[in-house]
Each structure stands twice: as C-alpha cells, then as structure tokens.
Amino acid sequence: MTELTNRQYFLASRPVGEPTPDNVACRDVPLAPPGEGEVTIRNLYISLDPAIRGWMSDAPNYIEPITLGDAVRSSVIGRVVASNSPDFAVGDVAMVMGGWEQYTTVPAGMLNKLDENAGIPLSLFLGVLGPTGLTAYFGLLEVGQPKAGETVLVSAAAGAVGSIVGQIAKMQGCRVVGMAGSEDKCRWLTEDLGFDAAINYRTCGDYRAAISEACPDGVDVYFDNVGGEILDAALACLNRYARVAVCGWISTYNESELPPLANLWQLVARSVTIRGFVILDYLDRFPEGIAQLAEWVMAGKLQFREDVVDGLDNVLPTFLRLFDGSNSGKLVIRIPE
Ligand SMILES: NC(=O)c1ccc[n+]([C@@H]2O[C@H](COP(=O)([O-])OP(=O)(O)OC[C@H]3O[C@@H](n4cnc5c(N)ncnc54)[C@H](OP(=O)(O)O)[C@@H]3O)[C@@H](O)[C@H]2O)c1
C-alpha cells in the first residue's frame, strides 16, 4: 500500500463567510499502512451536511471544531482496502466519521459494517436511512410531539431532513406546510409528497403574512431548519402550547452575527416549548429509528431525493450548494471505484 497516495481536502484556515479554496485546500499525502487495530477504507461516498460549516469554525459546538490541518470532517462510506483488525476483511463496506479524502484510516471500533448485498443502495445510509432520516424522525416525533389534527410548519422543507419531517408529520395526521426556495421545490412538496401547502420564501414577500395565510389555524409545531428571519416570523404565528424543534440554523452558518429575534416574547405569551437537539442525543435509539424509516421506505410511504455528484475534486463547490439551495435532496459526493 505504500505506493498509494491519499488526496485530502483539509482545513487550511477558518472561513469567514462561505468557505473558499484558501480555507479548504487540497494535498496528496502518502498513505501509510493501518496501525495495530486500525482499518483503511477507500471512500465511496462522502456526506455533505450543513453542520460541517459549523465544525470549520472554532465557536463552541456539540462536537470539537475540525483541527487546522486535518481533513474536513464528514460521514463517509468506504470499502476496506487494508485491515489490521480481525473484525474487518479487505472488501468489507463500512461507514464512519471520516473526512473529505480518498482513504480514511480509523480504529476498527469506530466503523459500522454495512451489508452491500441487502439490496439497499449504500448512499441511503447517509441520507434517509442514516443521520438525516433519523434527525427528521426523532426531531419531529420526540421534540416536536405532533398530534393528529395539528398544523406542522417546516422550513428547508424540500431538503434532506425537511422533506422527511413533512412526510412523517402527514403520517401522524397533521396538516403540513413547507417553506422552500423555488417553485419546483414547492410543487414537489404539494404534488408528490402530500404537503397541504408550500410557501416559496424567496417570492412570498412578508414571511409572517405568508405563514398566517398558509396556516389559518396557527402553527402547533414549527420544525426549524433555518433560523433567522423565518424563525422570527414563525414565532409570531404559534398557537398556545406550540412546540418549536430547533434542528439547525442554516441561514446563519456563514454569518458572523446572529440576527435578532424580535418575536421571542411569544414563547411566554403563548406558553411555547422551544427545544434544540442534535441527533446524537438519540444514539441509543438509532436501530429503532432506522427500522421504522426502512419499513416506510419499502412500503412506499416515504419518498426521498438524492443529489449525487461524482468526484472528490468537486467537494468544496458542491458543499456550497447547500447554502444557495441548488441541491435537490440529500447531497453526496461519490468517488466511483
Ligand atoms: N440537529 C441535528 O442533529 C441536525 C442533523 C442534520 C441536519 N441538521 C440541520 O438541518 C438543516 C437541513 O439540513 P439538510 O442536511 O437537510 O440540508 P438540505 O435541507 O438538504 O439543504 C440545505 C437547504 O437549506 C436551504 N437554505 C440554505 N440557505 C438558506 C437560507 N439562508 N434561508 C432559508 N433556507 C436556506 C436550501 O433550500 P431552499 O432552496 O429551500 O432555500 C438548501 O437546499 C440544517 O440547518 C442542518 O444544520 C441538524
């Protein structure tokens, strides 16, 4: 293996605003053989998630920032090419928190083996049957606590997490309204996924008026994927005892300052529960979540979109698509074998 090189996209400096090639640089390094108990995988899929932008900063977060000089951290799926562990053989496929790189070497205990002969496309384990599906499942059901007949509002609704949230909320008997950034995305929500209404937040004008119109009975659960002005407008439309599940604030990830929330007082005025969460809070219940999501997918009750881009060298420009909304569903880099 010593003749192999590992192409890596590493954090050269911490971005201010959108990450640039100065912040995320490329290098080819010799690939060392795995140490005692370690395994090297050749990455096949790299998951691109908004949270990675947060890990590039040194602001306090739910996991440590990426160390300067390290490959950018990402969930990956890869095939074992060298193993120094009895638990993994060359040819096995596994998922792990790896990096924007061609090869990832980790202690065997960190890898989750996947069965590539189960008839499930591997990339789904990064999306609907992985962290994004689980975020929607636990975030909506445990934090949002929707009840039949209630109105659920979800932002970034056509995205990887939001599209699953809305469909699960429909299965709970809720009225579901999604906010998304294009007519195409809004049509997909209402015509294909069964959302009751969709708001194109780029063209709707006043957010609060648009939410009120689409939710005439008020909002009982707001699943917040974006933060900022949309969160503030949603706060003004909540019903008494509403729940706000704070999943992510993608509208702020490239900003240096958080915008003010003028309507925060509505938490008091309407006795609202607002709760942030990360999917790692539910780590011990992942098997339950994956089993339920897989059952729904196989029964045709849960639709999903994947946006798969070939080539490790496209990783940074592809990552930036999360922030201009040009991704269509779960964004993944594929490095064909
Ligand atoms: N708490 C957790 O454990 C957890 C886990 C996974 C994800 N998340 C969070 O969930 C959210 C969605 O993540 P995802 O992986 O499913 O990504 P995604 O929704 O597939 O992609 C991001 C989408 O966000 C929308 N967006 C980008 N900038 C925006 C802005 N300024 N204002 C409004 N919308 C904007 C865009 O859609 P439009 O075209 O509609 O603008 C874009 O397509 C993110 O906030 C992420 O951090 C949290």
Side-chain angles (χ1 to χ4, degrees), residues 156-158 179-186 199-203 324-325:
M179 299 183 78
S182 75
E183 290 305 311
D184 271 359
K185 288 185 179 184
C186 286
I199 299 168
N200 181 344
Y201 73 88
R202 289 188 202 274
T203 58
D324 67 16

Side-chain angles (χ1 to χ4, degrees), residues 26-333:
C26 180
R27 69 183 169 210
D28 292 317
V29 293
L31 183 65
E36 186 60 35
E38 289 187 334
V39 174
T40 298
I41 58 172
R42 194 281 196 188
N43 290 324
L44 304 172
Y45 293 99
I46 295 178
S47 180
L48 296 183
D49 299 284
I52 295 167
R53 175 62 186 86
W55 308 336
M56 289 178 180
S57 302
D58 54 9
N61 211 327
Y62 60 97
I63 54 174
E64 289 301 304
I66 300 166
T67 302
L68 287 178
D70 280 3
V72 173
R73 188 192 294 139
S74 226
S75 294
V76 299
I77 291 174
R79 187 178 301 285
V80 175
V81 291
S83 175
N84 233 336
S85 156
D87 298 330
F88 286 89
V90 169
D92 285 349
V93 172
M95 181 168 159
V96 70
M97 188 57 88
W100 290 3
E101 57 188 355
Q102 207 171 356
Y103 296 92
T104 293
T105 299
V106 288
M110 290 173 61
L111 290 162
N112 284 314
K113 207 179 280 188
L114 299 176
D115 178 4
E116 66 176 328
N117 299 315
I120 301 171
L122 289 174
S123 57
L124 298 198
F125 293 106
L126 298 173
V128 64
L129 300 183
T132 50
L134 290 165
T135 299
Y137 179 82
F138 289 113
L140 177 70
L141 297 179
E142 298 295 327
V143 184
Q145 303 264 333
K147 294 170 196 62
E150 290 189 327
T151 297
V152 174
L153 176 69
V154 53
S155 48
V161 172
S163 59
I164 305 299
V165 168
Q167 293 177 84
I168 297 175
K170 281 307 297 178
M171 287 189 240
Q172 307 306 305
C174 297
R175 182 167 193 281
V176 179
V177 176
M179 299 183 78
S182 75
E183 290 305 311
D184 271 359
K185 288 185 179 184
C186 286
R187 253 197 311 278
W188 184 58
L189 295 179
T190 53
E191 292 179 10
D192 294 339
L193 301 193
F195 281 52
D196 296 281
I199 299 168
N200 181 344
Y201 73 88
R202 289 188 202 274
T203 58
C204 70
D206 184 85
Y207 295 154
R208 181 175 172 174
I211 294 170
S212 297
E213 191 183 328
C215 306
D217 298 328
V219 174
D220 299 295
V221 178
Y222 173 48
F223 193 101
D224 183 23
N225 280 321
V226 303
E229 288 176 32
I230 292 178
L231 167 60
D232 203 34
L235 289 175
C237 302
L238 296 175
N239 287 333
R240 198 160 166 75
Y241 303 123
R243 284 80 65 203
V244 179
V246 182
C247 175
W249 279 2
I250 192 168
S251 74
T252 71
Y253 292 171
N254 288 310
E255 305 298 326
S256 307
E257 285 182 18
L258 293 181
L261 293 172
N263 294 316
L264 212 48
W265 178 251
Q266 293 309 305
L267 302 184
V268 178
R270 312 275 167 92
S271 303
V272 169
T273 303
I274 184 166
R275 200 180 125 197
F277 71 96
V278 290
I279 191 51
L280 296 175
D281 299 342
Y282 298 94
L283 199 56
D284 58 341
R285 292 180 58 193
F286 278 13
E288 166 204 329
I290 291 170
Q292 179 61 83
L293 290 160
E295 187 189 314
W296 284 333
V297 168
M298 286 190 293
K301 292 182 177 170
L302 211 48
Q303 297 183 49
F304 57 89
R305 272 182 176 166
E306 283 188 297
D307 194 335
V308 180
V309 175
D310 276 343
L312 178 62
D313 290 331
N314 292 318
V315 68
L316 181 59
T318 304
F319 176 65
L320 296 180
R321 291 175 52 208
L322 290 166
F323 302 96
D324 67 16
S326 60
N327 67 308
S328 185
K330 175 67 201 141
L331 194 58
V332 172
I333 287 283

